[in-house]
Amino acid sequence: MRIRLLVLLFLSTTVLWAQNPPPRFTVSGYVREAVSQEALIGVNVYLPGTTTGTTTNTYGFYSLTLPAQDSLRLAYSFVGYDAIARTIGLRTNQTLNVLLTPGQRLAEVDVTAGRLTEKVSESAQMSTIDVPVSQIKKIPAFLGEKDVLKVLQLMPGVQKGSEGQTGIYVRGGGPDQNLIILDDAVVYNASHLFGFFSVFNGDAIKSVELIKGGFPARYGGRLSSVIDLNMKDGNREKLHGEGGIGLIASRLTLEGPLTKNKKPGQPSGSFLISGRRTYLDIVAAPLINAQTKGQMQAGYYFYDLNAKANYDFSPTNKVYLSGYFGRDKFYAHDNSQNNDIGLGWGNATGTLRWNHLFNQKLFANLSLIFSDYKFQISAVEKSTLATDTYSLQYNSGIRDFSLKYDVDYYPTPQHSVKVGLQSTYHRFTPSAVVLQNAGINQAINNINTIDVLESGIYAEDTWRPSSRWRINGGLRLSYFHQTNATYIKPEPRLSGAFTLKPDLSIKASYALMNQYVHLLSNTGIGLPTDLWVPSTDRVKPQQSQQVALGIAKDFTTGSEFVRGLTLTVEGYYKSMSNIINYKEGASFLLINDPTSANSLRWEDNVTAGRGWSYGVEILLQKKAGRFSGWAGYTLSWTQWQFAELNGGQPYYPRYDRRHDISLVGIYDLSKKITLSAVWVYGTGNALTVPVGRFDSYRAGNALVYGGSPGIVQSFFSPGRTVDDYGTQKNSFRAEPYHRFDLGVQFHKKMKHHERTWEFSVYNLYDRRNPFFYRLESVPATATEPTRTALFRYSVFPVVPAVSYNFKF
């Protein structure tokens, strides 16, 4: 009897092993917006009631390979759109393109376990933040100008620069350590108006994502963050426009189809063009002329232009062409001195991309990229006799030509593979001086250019080995070649999430990053005078290693207020090596003697050091619903150390900030009224300020400070007042920064268009936040003698704003 049972068991097992596994088929397609046919990035595509799913890529494409089924139910959901479900039979490969309808409804449309987007607890990626552009447009802004970068400054782990500045400092890194990408093109200077506004026009932007750590292998070249922005593709259905008129600038965006009355299956495409210009020059010029009684004429303006076109030649071949062009210009003419001065900077980018779908599992994109950043100072001085003219022109910049190829491969729902390569030819122009004296027929034209090649190849895989694990692992190999130096460096990346229970997971990540370009800055606030330079044989590449650990929680049930909330808590430690800074007293902009500045190697003026940063970040975020917004808190420490600065001792850099809090709330009171508010608080910046002041005079060859011999300095004159900055760098802590902004929008739908009036107040309770400090003499009074005191200067009191926005 036992033998018979064993024989039957063996035969049944043999039959089971002999059977072929069930056939598998692939369902793939594109997810677009129903109204405009705009491709949607990051749409969640999943099997309801399971953890099986994927998300659409940058071009709206998705792919899932599943066992054959007579009836397969797929759900599609995305923040700000109504979720939908589709039922298909999967007995052969299927192409399923889906349209999502814009809406703010949280209720699901016959979809189980409804999610608005991929749950943060299920994603392998950590230290990543994305903010819907529709939400950005509702947040009150300085002078009414919506700004992507200023919204990112409100996120934990991101420190802002000085009052009103768009500079971004992420987890202890400097402004040069942020990789800012617009449609694959690097933007080197993202500021207008000396940093008070960014170059990104929100009307032209489709998505923005900030990555602070656990970087996927496809990104490289910076240490601290990636800010990945994508422009809108353009409306494929009809001509659409939107714009606005504000206090300092106006903007207009037009988009529409490239082909009219297209039939199903015909090639199609769309275009977008968006422009913005300030009119500060028109408003300020008469005021300056009146106040100086015609002795001074000055002005400033900026403009930017975004353009994009795309065309589908076939279901498997699509082409995108996009570009950005922007410029800032300041000019002044002094009639009394017969002098002219000008300051200008600008970016230009261009990206040509070709998508090719090899099959339902294999998606590829080829990009040709151009990026150019230029900065210029010009000065002309004419003698009163008009016989002698002195002119100076100083230029600097960086120009890139890049080739990039990426492949997305979806073999199974458990694996999403990305491989690719990128190569960039950089041309740096850190010094270009034109000096001319017409009176003596003398002219000097010196230009320094540095050509380098930077490349990288990568592979990464998002792996789901079980329902509890999500892992993203990858390796990037970076290569850099300059005339006297070649560097090849591996960059391993690993991040993962383990599900403790539904909607709750623990995450960890590690990333090693290398950076081959550097930004030389005297101020640390990202002014256009800062210079980009490459690594050399003397200046090594910057490198960072970062580890992070945290938890992620999704709230999918409960009241409307609670449902849709996500909570992330992360702790991190980051070490940085070979970071560079100017030596004490050094500057590359020696305008008084530009020819000698050109003859010096910039490496002689810098020193290399190391840094480290660690802290905890908490973010409670809600992206959609009648009430949305976020609350963020950061507790962090950052220190730098250079052998030739601060006596070789560690010090806190300017933007080390112990505590940082941001509260952002948006409430749709009705379909016609939207209320919004922002409150921020931050520990004051670490600064080096004078600790005393002395009167100097000359005694023979010695310079005397209040009677004590000092160091001879030729530029000191008898009786000069000298500030003493002490021996410790950044030993002074500025007062805390905080402010409250409030805004209200009034919407109205007309017959052919929609208009919005917005009223906002920046710094509602008139907090005089410090912009800089200076020692000044206080005159004597009847009771006190003349004394010296440290004065705080602020730039923005209460700033009201009004703007008119429209859509048609």
Side-chain angles (χ1 to χ4, degrees):
M1 183 67 180
R2 291 181 179 178
I3 294 176
R4 291 179 181 178
L5 290 175
L6 289 174
V7 171
L8 289 173
L9 179 63
F10 173 77
L11 290 175
S12 61
T13 304
T14 304
V15 171
L16 288 174
W17 278 106
Q19 290 178 346
N20 293 324
R24 303 172 69 87
F25 298 101
T26 301
V27 55
S28 64
Y30 292 86
V31 181
R32 301 183 182 273
E33 182 185 271
V35 178
S36 65
Q37 295 284 313
E38 183 89 30
L40 296 177
I41 303 171
V43 175
N44 194 31
V45 184
Y46 61 100
L47 275 64
T50 74
T51 59
T52 300
T54 187
T55 57
T56 57
N57 68 7
T58 303
Y59 305 94
F61 177 78
Y62 75 94
S63 176
L64 274 173
T65 300
L66 303 165
Q69 302 175 46
D70 292 327
S71 180
L72 174 69
R73 190 168 177 79
L74 283 178
Y76 302 79
S77 59
F78 190 56
V79 171
Y81 292 80
D82 292 336
I84 65 171
R86 292 286 185 266
T87 301
I88 61 172
L90 193 63
R91 288 296 179 181
T92 183
N93 292 334
Q94 298 276 350
T95 297
L96 181 59
N97 298 322
V98 173
L99 301 178
L100 295 185
T101 303
Q104 290 296 328
R105 187 173 61 204
L106 286 181
E108 308 306 320
V109 183
D110 195 22
V111 176
T112 306
R115 328 178 217 187
L116 290 173
T117 184
E118 184 180 27
K119 292 181 180 179
V120 66
S121 59
E122 292 183 357
S123 171
Q125 187 64 41
M126 66 182 303
S127 306
T128 299
I129 297 173
D130 66 273
V131 184
V133 175
S134 59
Q135 198 175 51
I136 292 174
K137 291 184 176 182
K138 296 178 181 179
I139 297 173
F142 177 63
L143 290 174
E145 289 295 309
K146 306 303 182 184
D147 198 313
V148 171
L149 295 190
K150 285 190 177 180
V151 171
L152 294 181
Q153 288 176 348
L154 301 173
M155 293 298 178
V158 182
Q159 313 298 342
K160 70 181 187 63
S162 299
E163 171 77 274
Q165 297 277 319
T166 56
I168 286 182
Y169 303 79
V170 179
R171 291 185 172 177
D176 64 323
Q177 295 177 0
N178 305 309
L179 179 63
I180 303 177
I181 309 171
L182 179 64
D183 276 2
D184 280 346
V186 176
V187 178
Y188 285 95
N189 190 310
S191 67
H192 280 317
L193 193 58
F194 301 96
F196 289 108
F197 299 106
S198 78
V199 300
F200 303 114
N201 182 350
D203 290 346
I205 300 298
K206 175 166 62 175
S207 67
V208 54
E209 182 182 51
L210 168 67
I211 304 175
K212 302 177 294 182
F215 304 94
R218 57 186 178 274
Y219 295 112
R222 298 295 187 276
L223 301 189
S224 293
S225 79
V226 176
I227 302 173
D228 195 351
L229 302 106
N230 289 279
M231 289 172 53
K232 293 179 180 178
D233 297 332
N235 195 310
R236 289 171 173 257
E237 295 298 308
K238 62 180 180 179
L239 183 66
H240 170 76
E242 63 179 306
I245 301 172
L247 292 180
I248 66 166
S250 292
R251 65 191 190 278
L252 177 65
T253 300
L254 293 174
E255 54 182 312
L258 289 176
T259 55
K260 294 183 179 180
N261 302 320
K262 66 179 183 66
K263 298 179 181 179
Q266 278 188 332
S268 64
S270 60
F271 75 90
L272 176 140
I273 184 167
S274 180
R276 179 175 57 162
R277 191 193 193 277
T278 183
Y279 22 79
L280 283 175
D281 52 336
I282 301 173
V283 175
L287 298 176
I288 296 173
N289 188 60
Q291 290 184 356
T292 62
K293 298 180 180 181
Q295 295 299 310
M296 176 69 72
Q297 296 173 330
Y300 166 85
Y301 67 86
F302 72 77
Y303 69 85
D304 49 49
L305 177 69
N306 295 79
K308 189 170 185 178
N310 64 92
Y311 196 77
D312 298 351
F313 287 94
S314 70
T316 58
N317 291 282
K318 307 175 189 297
V319 173
Y320 300 79
L321 177 64
S322 59
Y324 167 84
F325 313 91
R327 183 165 177 79
D328 288 65
K329 185 174 182 179
F330 169 80
Y331 56 91
H333 176 73
D334 188 345
N335 292 318
S336 62
Q337 301 293 327
N338 208 21
N339 296 334
D340 291 301
I341 187 170
L343 178 68
W345 68 95
N347 297 274
T349 71
T351 306
L352 176 63
R353 293 181 285 186
W354 170 42
N355 291 174
H356 180 66
L357 190 61
F358 286 97
N359 55 53
Q360 290 189 300
K361 296 183 180 182
L362 193 61
F363 180 96
N365 180 77
L366 174 67
S367 299
L368 301 177
I369 309 163
F370 170 79
S371 179
D372 188 27
Y373 169 67
K374 291 180 180 178
F375 164 72
Q376 181 183 82
I377 296 176
S378 62
V380 177
E381 181 178 350
K382 299 178 182 178
S383 67
T384 55
L385 300 177
T387 59
D388 197 14
T389 300
Y390 170 87
S391 65
L392 167 68
Q393 185 171 324
Y394 178 91
N395 300 299
S396 69
I398 177 171
R399 186 189 67 191
D400 293 348
F401 291 99
S402 301
L403 173 69
K404 185 171 180 282
Y405 189 69
D406 302 286
V407 174
D408 293 355
Y409 179 52
Y410 307 91
T412 69
Q414 288 73 41
H415 291 275
S416 177
V417 180
K418 295 179 181 289
V419 297
L421 58 89
Q422 180 172 3
S423 186
T424 301
Y425 174 76
H426 300 285
R427 167 160 287 185
F428 295 84
T429 312
S431 178
V433 179
V434 177
L435 178 66
Q436 183 172 359
N437 191 323
I440 59 176
N441 196 28
Q442 178 186 11
I444 302 174
N445 189 338
N446 292 320
I447 299 177
N448 277 348
T449 59
I450 305 173
D451 295 330
V452 301
L453 181 66
E454 180 180 359
S455 302
I457 184 170
Y458 75 88
E460 66 175 87
D461 181 18
T462 300
W463 179 34
R464 302 180 180 184
S466 70
S467 61
R468 286 181 173 265
W469 281 100
R470 300 288 187 276
I471 299 172
N472 179 279
L475 177 66
R476 184 181 185 90
L477 185 66
S478 60
Y479 169 85
F480 180 86
H481 176 72
Q482 197 247 4
T483 304
N484 298 317
T486 299
Y487 300 99
I488 302 176
K489 293 182 177 293
E491 301 175 9
R493 318 284 175 79
L494 181 64
S495 61
F498 178 75
T499 301
L500 298 173
K501 61 180 183 178
D503 305 324
L504 177 65
S505 66
I506 183 171
K507 296 187 176 187
S509 67
Y510 167 81
L512 187 149
M513 309 289 284
N514 289 290
Q515 180 169 332
Y516 299 99
V517 297
H518 316 272
L519 187 66
L520 297 180
S521 173
N522 282 106
T523 63
I525 60 177
L527 292 179
T529 53
D530 298 340
L531 302 179
W532 287 95
V533 292
S535 296
T536 67
D537 55 331
R538 294 172 56 186
V539 178
K540 307 301 182 184
Q542 301 179 62
Q543 187 176 89
S544 74
Q545 296 189 69
Q546 182 178 163
V547 293
L549 180 67
I551 62 171
K553 168 66 177 175
D554 291 280
F555 297 86
T556 57
T557 60
S559 66
E560 181 181 342
F561 176 80
V562 174
R563 192 167 65 251
L565 279 172
T566 61
L567 172 66
T568 58
V569 181
E570 295 184 8
Y572 70 92
Y573 180 87
K574 179 169 71 173
S575 63
M576 298 170 284
S577 60
N578 298 324
I579 58 177
I580 67 172
N581 206 337
Y582 275 118
K583 296 178 181 178
E584 294 286 5
S587 173
F588 197 66
L589 284 175
L590 300 177
I591 301 301
N592 290 333
D593 191 3
T595 55
S596 66
N598 190 64
S599 63
L600 292 174
R601 291 188 66 181
W602 62 266
E603 295 101 315
D604 298 328
N605 284 335
V606 302
T607 179
R610 66 190 187 101
W612 54 94
S613 179
Y614 53 92
V616 177
E617 300 166 2
I618 303 173
L619 176 64
L620 183 66
Q621 186 179 22
K622 193 170 191 286
K623 297 181 183 179
R626 191 173 181 182
F627 180 82
S628 63
W630 63 87
Y633 172 71
T634 305
L635 173 66
S636 64
W637 288 262
T638 300
Q639 286 188 294
W640 290 355
Q641 186 176 24
F642 296 86
E644 299 183 59
L645 298 178
N646 199 46
Q649 297 301 309
Y651 67 93
Y652 296 111
R654 179 183 181 97
Y655 298 108
D656 166 72
R657 185 166 297 164
R658 198 68 62 246
H659 303 280
D660 191 87
I661 302 172
S662 60
L663 302 175
V664 179
I666 302 169
Y667 183 65
D668 292 321
L669 188 63
S670 67
K671 291 183 178 180
K672 295 183 177 181
I673 302 176
T674 299
L675 304 177
S676 58
V678 174
W679 184 77
V680 295
Y681 173 89
T683 303
N685 293 336
L687 305 174
T688 301
V689 301
V691 296
R693 173 171 285 182
F694 305 92
D695 291 330
S696 66
Y697 61 91
R698 290 202 175 276
N701 291 326
L703 181 66
V704 179
Y705 300 95
S708 300
I711 301 173
V712 177
Q713 296 286 345
S714 61
F715 55 82
F716 286 132
S717 59
R720 180 183 177 90
T721 299
V722 180
D723 290 335
D724 178 11
Y725 287 88
T727 59
Q728 295 297 315
K729 189 176 181 66
N730 291 352
S731 59
F732 177 82
R733 184 67 68 168
E735 296 161 274
Y737 178 97
H738 55 87
R739 74 169 200 272
F740 179 70
D741 306 335
L742 186 65
V744 57
Q745 295 179 344
F746 298 95
H747 314 279
K748 186 174 182 179
K749 289 189 176 182
M750 316 295 282
K751 185 176 181 180
H752 298 292
H753 72 283
E754 178 182 345
R755 61 103 171 128
T756 300
W757 280 101
E758 180 174 3
F759 301 90
S760 63
V761 182
Y762 179 90
N763 194 14
L764 181 64
Y765 53 73
D766 195 24
R767 164 68 176 176
R768 299 304 175 100
N769 288 300
F771 189 70
F772 68 91
Y773 292 84
R774 192 172 74 175
L775 280 180
E776 294 185 5
S777 296
V778 179
T781 64
T783 58
E784 293 185 359
T786 301
R787 60 190 177 89
T788 301
L790 187 67
F791 281 79
R792 177 196 65 207
Y793 285 85
S794 302
V795 290
F796 297 121
V798 177
V799 182
V802 59
S803 62
Y804 175 78
N805 305 295
F806 57 88
K807 294 181 180 180
F808 60 88

